[in-house]
Amino acid sequence: EQAEIGLIGLGVMGSNLALNIAEKGNKIAVFNRTPEVTKKFYADAGELQGQIIPCETIEEFVAAIRPPRPIIIMIKAGDPVDQQMEILKPHLENGDIMIDAGNANFRDTIRRFDNLKDSGLTFIGMGVSGGEEGARHGPSIMVGGTEDSWKRVEKVLTSISAKYDNEPCVAWLGNDGAGHFVKTIHNGIEYADMQMIAEIYGILRDGLNLSASEIADVFAEWNKGRLNSYLIEITEKVLRAADPITGKPMVDLILDKAGQKGTGKWSVIEAQNMGVAATAIEAAVAARILSSQKDERESAEKIFGLPKALAAPADKKAFIADLENALLAAKIGAYAQGFAVMSAASKEFGWNLPMPTIARIWRAGCIIRSQFLDEITSAFTKDPHVANLIVTPAFSQMVKDTDAPLRRVVSHAVLSGLPVPALASALGYFDAYRRARGSANLIQAQRDFFGAHGFERIDGVDKPHGPWGSGLDIF
Ligand code: NDP
């Protein structure tokens, strides 16, 4: 019996994905550049061995799969993917589908897809979220490619995906780079979500002087409410864990330098490319960069010291309730921005991205999974073409209920010198977005003054320049 699908790359993600595929009753052929890895993988597969065909050569591997052959490539992102595709190509036949399941830049995905045009072969760019655990037991899967190629893999991918209320967290989202683009924005939102949680943690730790375990209690409580989500859940667990060596809270012993692999940065670059304000995601990426500059921060603290903090609010309970609402408000801002970037990209690349479906497949399996995404799913289902999530009836009500707490929290943090760039940028975004008459009239006047750029008048009178002479007079 031939395999239903093939997989190349038995690293952390690939091996877990392969076991998941086998476990769900799909026969799978596997290959890894270093054959010892394949041998070990097969030897460790236990009762799933019957579903796995381990292959040591590409010829053997390709022959083991039922045509048209879907082949998942789950290897190091970048050049290795192009190299692997070149190696595979001569062995493939009309209709075969190479599927890049790594964290690719969607622009590379579009290029790879286009390069295969007229070759008889096709390409799927597939975003897989949920880390190792997700790959093994059910990831969220975002697929981009032709609809025909999706139909060939739909059954297998549906069987391995995460489920939310029995609904599979996998969908075909559009042509070429659609899946990898959506995965990129997922990661950008993830950056913002994590940064906002970290900022709130910073206020609890440095503004209220709570211990790690006291903060864990706060997050445990929040996880029962509207913030219920995987990230809040693991935050509580992280805060509770003790270091096995010293017995101290683990989190207190971890250096405050955050790493990043690039998808957050890509989100920000693409937001800028599309002309969409994604300030919370930008703030989150910038905050990781600043976090990594530990030496410079230490030197700067020696020069400036720290500002004198405000006294902790007298009503601690009320302030903690404010923090919960502030986090919700800011989170709405970040998600609204992420969806706005996707909406702009959808038009630019002609993908027709289905917003309710994207929210739906993020409800389980991925890192940002939450009850909140179920609410986003409903909001977009009722109004799939709305300009911005925050003006949907459900979310506008949430913003009305929570923007005052966000304002109080940001004010308190700012006056105490506690950095809250992501929370503050979400607030700044609301304040700019909700105000019909802003201050850009002055910018237009300045631009006209020095560059004769002209402006529109509020009274409709057709007089495109101001009474400031040539502007160069001041020189
Ligand atoms: P690993 O480092 O665990 O595995 C790397 C794999 O790539 C190995 O199988 C390796 O083969 C293979 N490889 C590397 N270079 C080449 C090459 N030039 N030709 C062929 N094979 C090559 O990686 P991960 O499993 O962590 O990540 C794989 C992909 O999944 C990446 O794109 C990553 O960004 C993405 N991803 C990772 C997540 C995670 O949580 N780890 C989450 C979501 C996506 P060999 O054994 O021969 O060295």
Side-chain angles (χ1 to χ4, degrees):
E1 189 201 349
Q2 281 191 303
E4 200 44 40
I5 195 161
L7 183 142
I8 297 181
L10 293 168
V12 175
M13 290 295 284
S15 57
N16 281 293
L17 207 60
L19 292 174
N20 185 0
I21 292 171
E23 187 182 72
K24 301 294 156 22
N26 310 289
K27 194 144 205 170
I28 179 169
V30 295
F31 174 86
N32 192 75
R33 179 181 60 175
T34 312
E36 288 71 39
V37 175
T38 312
K39 281 189 197 137
K40 178 159 192 322
F41 168 79
Y42 186 69
D44 294 344
E47 58 187 17
L48 293 176
Q49 276 180 347
Q51 293 292 107
I52 298 169
I53 308 174
C55 305
E56 290 198 18
T57 66
I58 286 283
E59 289 80 0
E60 217 189 306
F61 172 72
V62 170
I65 308 163
R66 173 175 82 80
R69 305 175 181 83
I71 297 176
I72 297 177
I73 302 174
M74 189 50 136
I75 64 175
K76 199 163 171 244
D79 290 341
V81 174
D82 291 306
Q83 290 159 12
Q84 187 59 65
M85 288 174 68
E86 284 310 311
I87 292 172
L88 256 179
K89 249 160 76 180
H91 302 277
L92 300 182
E93 292 172 333
N94 260 354
D96 287 352
I97 310 159
M98 290 188 269
I99 305 168
D100 178 12
N103 267 337
N105 185 313
F106 80 102
R107 291 185 185 270
D108 286 335
T109 304
I110 294 178
R111 170 180 57 79
R112 288 171 183 140
F113 183 91
D114 286 347
N115 284 348
L116 289 178
K117 261 186 197 148
D118 311 320
S119 70
L121 304 177
T122 187
F123 189 72
I124 284 180
M126 180 167 109
V128 179
S129 178
E132 194 180 335
E133 192 59 23
R136 179 65 185 87
H137 297 292
S140 168
I141 307 175
M142 294 145 256
V143 179
T146 64
E147 194 166 9
D148 281 348
S149 60
W150 156 247
K151 291 209 173 107
R152 172 68 180 88
V153 291
E154 182 173 0
K155 201 163 147 251
V156 173
L157 295 184
T158 302
S159 76
I160 65 163
S161 74
K163 309 287 180 304
Y164 183 96
D165 279 353
N166 291 324
E167 286 183 57
C169 292
V170 55
W172 173 64
L173 300 174
N175 206 27
D176 53 55
H180 275 143
F181 182 80
V182 171
K183 171 73 199 308
T184 298
I185 300 304
H186 164 282
N187 287 23
I189 293 173
E190 176 185 313
Y191 271 56
D193 208 335
M194 291 170 70
Q195 174 64 24
M196 287 166 171
I197 293 172
E199 290 175 11
I200 294 282
Y201 155 76
I203 298 173
L204 288 162
R205 186 188 68 184
D206 301 328
L208 293 186
N209 294 314
L210 300 187
S211 67
S213 72
E214 288 167 326
I215 303 175
D217 292 341
V218 171
F219 279 97
E221 212 40 54
W222 291 354
N223 200 36
K224 295 180 201 149
R226 297 198 86 161
L227 289 171
N228 172 268
S229 62
Y230 173 73
L231 280 171
I232 296 288
E233 181 189 329
I234 66 164
T235 303
E236 185 221 331
K237 290 194 172 137
V238 160
L239 286 161
R240 278 229 206 274
D243 170 38
I245 303 168
T246 61
K248 291 183 182 156
M250 190 70 245
V251 71
D252 291 343
L253 297 170
I254 297 176
L255 198 62
D256 52 334
K257 280 167 84 163
Q260 50 179 323
K261 288 198 293 189
T263 43
K265 180 175 88 177
W266 295 343
S267 300
V268 172
I269 291 172
E270 295 309 337
Q272 296 278 0
N273 279 338
M274 309 299 155
V276 175
T279 53
I281 301 173
E282 286 168 18
V285 174
R288 283 204 196 182
I289 295 170
L290 274 167
S291 85
S292 70
Q293 296 165 344
K294 177 81 172 169
D295 296 346
E296 284 183 54
R297 289 189 286 115
E298 281 179 340
S299 312
E301 187 174 327
K302 284 194 190 111
I303 297 172
F304 297 108
L306 290 176
K308 194 171 169 327
L310 291 184
D315 189 347
K316 231 185 216 181
K317 216 168 149 217
F319 188 65
I320 290 175
D322 266 1
L323 289 171
E324 180 181 12
N325 283 315
L327 185 50
L328 181 63
K331 186 168 159 151
I332 293 170
Y335 281 66
Q337 292 174 358
F339 275 94
V341 179
M342 290 191 288
S343 163
S346 180
K347 288 190 196 102
E348 176 134 346
F349 293 96
W351 286 325
N352 209 5
L353 293 178
M355 299 305 158
T357 303
I358 293 169
R360 180 171 66 71
I361 64 173
W362 285 352
R363 291 178 305 176
C366 62
I367 304 296
I368 62 172
R369 62 184 181 257
S370 64
Q371 180 196 308
F372 180 76
L373 275 160
D374 195 36
E375 298 179 64
I376 298 184
T377 306
S378 313
F380 278 132
T381 303
K382 285 183 197 131
D383 197 351
H385 302 295
V386 67
N388 191 304
L389 180 68
I390 57 179
V391 298
T392 58
F395 281 83
S396 57
Q397 190 54 51
M398 272 193 249
V399 171
K400 285 181 194 167
D401 294 343
T402 54
D403 87 314
L406 177 59
R407 204 172 295 288
R408 288 194 288 270
V409 165
V410 168
S411 307
H412 185 89
V414 168
L415 291 171
S416 297
L418 295 169
V420 286
L423 298 175
S425 64
L427 181 60
Y429 177 73
F430 285 142
D431 283 342
Y433 192 82
R434 74 188 293 175
R435 181 166 290 265
R437 170 94 175 138
S439 56
N441 49 320
L442 183 68
I443 292 172
Q444 283 301 78
Q446 291 164 333
R447 294 179 70 237
D448 187 51
F449 191 106
F450 64 66
H453 293 291
F455 47 73
E456 291 173 86
R457 291 175 58 116
I458 56 173
D459 54 10
V461 171
D462 189 19
K463 177 88 176 65
H465 293 287
W468 21 77
S470 84
L472 295 174
D473 294 353
I474 57 167
F475 286 102

